[in-house]
Amino acid sequence: MVLGIETSCDETAAAVVDQDFHVHSSVVESSIDEHRAFGGVVPELAGRAHVATIGPVVRRALDEAGLNATDPAIEGIAVTSGPGLIGSLLVGLSAAKGYSLAWGVPFVGVNHLEGHLFAPLLEASDLEWPFMTLLVSGGHSLIVLQREAGAHEVLGETIDDAAGEAYDKIARWLGLGYPGGPEIDHLAQEGTAGTLKLPVSMTGDDFDLSFSGLKTAVVRATQHSDVALADVAASFQAAVAEQLLRKLRRALEHHPVKGLALAGGVAANSALRAGVVELAAEFALVPHLPTMAMCTDNAAMIAAAGLYRLRASGPSPMDLSANPNWQLADVS
Ligand code: KG4
Ligand code: ZN
């Protein structure tokens, strides 16, 4: 069994997962309420919240897994060491090193994005390799070909904003709350897509994504118009989903796979989920839509990636640093 620790952004999370990817516990505490007033995550506040919360969260994860908190029967610790907010990452990393020394077990630094890639494996026992994953969150948007556990190729990624970031910024522009994704998604249900004529970005011959042009287009189109807010939300939501699904279709045309998975916070989006189900049917694939708990940041996915990393590359050294800009590298 491995203890996972995640503190890359505003969630303080700990989980216990075994080698069959059975989740024995998964505890997530978020400091989001402290950030709402600022319209985005304030790094300093997030870091301080992690310091106060990490100990109790780890203890709860051990308790809920039925493990002794002072001498738990775990064989390793997996911790997110990047990418993310440096002050937040360091809290989790320091905690992992402390537990590693105290319990005499190895620890391994895990790439947060690789963690997201393992999330579908925790929920879908019928998942067949290879499969295509659209990973869309507040910080990242990638299309990844997953060949087998731990072996993946990044086919395309955003050249500017992440999909969730675009949602959050447009929500702020429209005067909606933070985080903006759920707010716009909710409002979009009452609006008509296409009311606002928006460009479809990135129609090129690659798998890359871009949301900055769309964001500017929404701002321009709403500056001096009285289009209903719900119609703006529906039009924006449709444009984001169309771009993502278009590029995903291209990826599926070029790389035959057996499954199609969604990951990351934006995987909660209703238009995207519906579109992925349709796309999967078109290509006769099994769609893997994560539960809401598995869409957002959690430590079970970090523990799963760590189980793999400990086996494949061994433990990390005690002087491992956090890497706030750690890119997801291709692994064959
Ligand atoms: O994966 P996540 O919890 O944190 C990051 O690693 O970024 O993703 C958070 C992002 C936020 O930008 C939020 O607005 C977006 O996911 N999000 C959504 C929805 N729910 C959350 N975006 C669109 N539609 C949603 N229903
Ligand atoms: Zn994430």
Short mmCIF file of all heavy atoms in Angstrom, two decimals, residues 6 8-9 11 83 112-113 115-116 135-140 263-265 295-298 301-302, ligand 2:
data_model
loop_
_atom_site.label_atom_id
_atom_site.label_comp_id
_atom_site.label_asym_id
_atom_site.label_seq_id
_atom_site.Cartn_x
_atom_site.Cartn_y
_atom_site.Cartn_z
N GLU A 6 -1.04 15.17 -2.04
CA GLU A 6 -1.19 16.16 -3.12
C GLU A 6 -1.43 17.54 -2.51
O GLU A 6 -2.39 17.73 -1.76
CB GLU A 6 -2.37 15.73 -4.02
CG GLU A 6 -3.07 16.82 -4.78
CD GLU A 6 -2.22 17.48 -5.86
OE1 GLU A 6 -1.43 16.78 -6.51
OE2 GLU A 6 -2.33 18.70 -6.02
N SER A 8 -0.55 20.58 -4.74
CA SER A 8 0.03 21.45 -5.78
C SER A 8 -0.71 22.77 -5.95
O SER A 8 -0.15 23.74 -6.42
CB SER A 8 0.10 20.71 -7.11
OG SER A 8 -1.19 20.45 -7.59
N CYS A 9 -2.01 22.80 -5.56
CA CYS A 9 -2.77 24.04 -5.75
C CYS A 9 -3.57 24.35 -4.47
O CYS A 9 -2.97 24.61 -3.45
CB CYS A 9 -3.65 23.90 -6.99
SG CYS A 9 -4.37 25.46 -7.52
N GLU A 11 -6.02 22.24 -3.13
CA GLU A 11 -6.51 21.06 -2.42
C GLU A 11 -5.39 20.42 -1.60
O GLU A 11 -4.31 20.19 -2.13
CB GLU A 11 -7.05 19.99 -3.40
CG GLU A 11 -8.48 20.23 -3.84
CD GLU A 11 -8.56 20.98 -5.15
OE1 GLU A 11 -7.49 21.21 -5.76
OE2 GLU A 11 -9.68 21.33 -5.57
N PRO A 83 3.97 19.82 -11.62
CA PRO A 83 4.02 21.28 -11.56
C PRO A 83 2.97 21.81 -10.58
O PRO A 83 2.06 21.08 -10.18
CB PRO A 83 3.67 21.68 -13.00
CG PRO A 83 2.80 20.57 -13.51
CD PRO A 83 3.26 19.32 -12.81
N HIS A 112 2.28 15.86 -11.26
CA HIS A 112 0.83 16.01 -11.04
C HIS A 112 0.02 15.58 -12.28
O HIS A 112 -1.05 14.98 -12.16
CB HIS A 112 0.55 17.48 -10.71
CG HIS A 112 -0.88 17.80 -10.51
ND1 HIS A 112 -1.54 17.55 -9.33
CD2 HIS A 112 -1.80 18.35 -11.34
CE1 HIS A 112 -2.81 17.92 -9.45
NE2 HIS A 112 -2.99 18.41 -10.66
N LEU A 113 0.54 15.90 -13.46
CA LEU A 113 -0.19 15.56 -14.69
C LEU A 113 -0.19 14.06 -14.93
O LEU A 113 -1.18 13.49 -15.38
CB LEU A 113 0.43 16.28 -15.89
CG LEU A 113 0.39 17.80 -15.75
CD1 LEU A 113 1.19 18.46 -16.86
CD2 LEU A 113 -1.03 18.30 -15.77
N GLY A 115 -0.24 12.01 -12.57
CA GLY A 115 -1.27 11.59 -11.62
C GLY A 115 -2.65 11.62 -12.29
O GLY A 115 -3.39 10.64 -12.25
N HIS A 116 -2.98 12.75 -12.94
CA HIS A 116 -4.28 12.84 -13.64
C HIS A 116 -4.43 11.71 -14.66
O HIS A 116 -5.54 11.20 -14.87
CB HIS A 116 -4.40 14.19 -14.36
CG HIS A 116 -4.92 15.30 -13.49
ND1 HIS A 116 -6.17 15.28 -12.92
CD2 HIS A 116 -4.37 16.48 -13.11
CE1 HIS A 116 -6.36 16.40 -12.21
NE2 HIS A 116 -5.27 17.14 -12.32
N LEU A 135 -6.95 15.70 -21.12
CA LEU A 135 -6.71 16.18 -19.76
C LEU A 135 -6.89 17.69 -19.74
O LEU A 135 -6.09 18.43 -20.31
CB LEU A 135 -5.29 15.78 -19.35
CG LEU A 135 -4.66 16.41 -18.11
CD1 LEU A 135 -5.59 16.36 -16.91
CD2 LEU A 135 -3.37 15.67 -17.78
N VAL A 136 -7.97 18.13 -19.13
CA VAL A 136 -8.30 19.56 -19.12
C VAL A 136 -8.57 20.05 -17.70
O VAL A 136 -9.48 19.56 -17.05
CB VAL A 136 -9.53 19.87 -20.03
CG1 VAL A 136 -9.11 20.15 -21.45
CG2 VAL A 136 -10.55 18.74 -20.00
N SER A 137 -7.74 21.00 -17.25
CA SER A 137 -7.91 21.50 -15.88
C SER A 137 -7.73 23.00 -15.87
O SER A 137 -7.67 23.65 -16.92
CB SER A 137 -6.89 20.82 -14.96
OG SER A 137 -5.60 21.35 -15.21
N GLY A 138 -7.62 23.56 -14.67
CA GLY A 138 -7.42 25.00 -14.55
C GLY A 138 -6.03 25.42 -14.99
O GLY A 138 -5.80 26.58 -15.34
N GLY A 139 -5.09 24.50 -14.98
CA GLY A 139 -3.72 24.84 -15.33
C GLY A 139 -3.20 24.20 -16.61
O GLY A 139 -2.18 24.62 -17.14
N HIS A 140 -3.92 23.17 -17.13
CA HIS A 140 -3.38 22.42 -18.26
C HIS A 140 -4.47 21.94 -19.20
O HIS A 140 -5.59 21.70 -18.78
CB HIS A 140 -2.60 21.21 -17.75
CG HIS A 140 -1.53 21.58 -16.79
ND1 HIS A 140 -0.28 21.94 -17.17
CD2 HIS A 140 -1.56 21.72 -15.44
CE1 HIS A 140 0.43 22.28 -16.11
NE2 HIS A 140 -0.33 22.15 -15.05
N ALA A 263 -10.07 13.62 -18.18
CA ALA A 263 -9.44 13.82 -16.87
C ALA A 263 -9.30 15.30 -16.58
O ALA A 263 -9.35 16.12 -17.49
CB ALA A 263 -8.08 13.12 -16.85
N GLY A 264 -9.14 15.65 -15.30
CA GLY A 264 -8.96 17.06 -14.90
C GLY A 264 -10.29 17.71 -14.55
O GLY A 264 -11.36 17.18 -14.86
N GLY A 265 -10.21 18.86 -13.89
CA GLY A 265 -11.40 19.55 -13.40
C GLY A 265 -12.45 19.86 -14.45
O GLY A 265 -13.66 19.77 -14.18
N CYS A 295 -12.38 13.79 -11.09
CA CYS A 295 -12.05 14.87 -12.04
C CYS A 295 -11.08 15.85 -11.38
O CYS A 295 -10.08 16.24 -11.97
CB CYS A 295 -13.29 15.70 -12.40
SG CYS A 295 -14.50 14.88 -13.39
N THR A 296 -11.41 16.24 -10.15
CA THR A 296 -10.63 17.30 -9.51
C THR A 296 -9.42 16.70 -8.81
O THR A 296 -9.27 15.48 -8.72
CB THR A 296 -11.48 18.08 -8.49
OG1 THR A 296 -12.18 17.13 -7.72
CG2 THR A 296 -12.46 18.99 -9.17
N ASP A 297 -8.54 17.59 -8.33
CA ASP A 297 -7.30 17.13 -7.73
C ASP A 297 -7.56 16.26 -6.51
O ASP A 297 -8.37 16.61 -5.64
CB ASP A 297 -6.46 18.35 -7.33
CG ASP A 297 -5.89 19.05 -8.55
OD1 ASP A 297 -5.98 18.47 -9.66
OD2 ASP A 297 -5.37 20.16 -8.41
N ASN A 298 -6.88 15.13 -6.44
CA ASN A 298 -7.00 14.21 -5.32
C ASN A 298 -5.68 13.46 -5.18
O ASN A 298 -4.83 13.51 -6.07
CB ASN A 298 -8.16 13.24 -5.55
CG ASN A 298 -7.92 12.35 -6.76
OD1 ASN A 298 -7.27 11.32 -6.64
ND2 ASN A 298 -8.38 12.76 -7.95
N MET A 301 -5.03 9.49 -7.20
CA MET A 301 -4.37 9.42 -8.51
C MET A 301 -2.85 9.58 -8.37
O MET A 301 -2.08 9.01 -9.14
CB MET A 301 -4.96 10.48 -9.46
CG MET A 301 -4.69 11.91 -9.06
SD MET A 301 -5.53 13.09 -10.15
CE MET A 301 -4.60 14.60 -9.78
N ILE A 302 -2.41 10.35 -7.38
CA ILE A 302 -0.96 10.54 -7.14
C ILE A 302 -0.37 9.24 -6.59
O ILE A 302 0.72 8.82 -6.99
CB ILE A 302 -0.71 11.72 -6.15
CG1 ILE A 302 -1.31 13.03 -6.70
CG2 ILE A 302 0.78 11.89 -5.86
CD1 ILE A 302 -0.82 13.47 -8.08
ZN ZN B 2 -4.94 18.98 -11.42
#
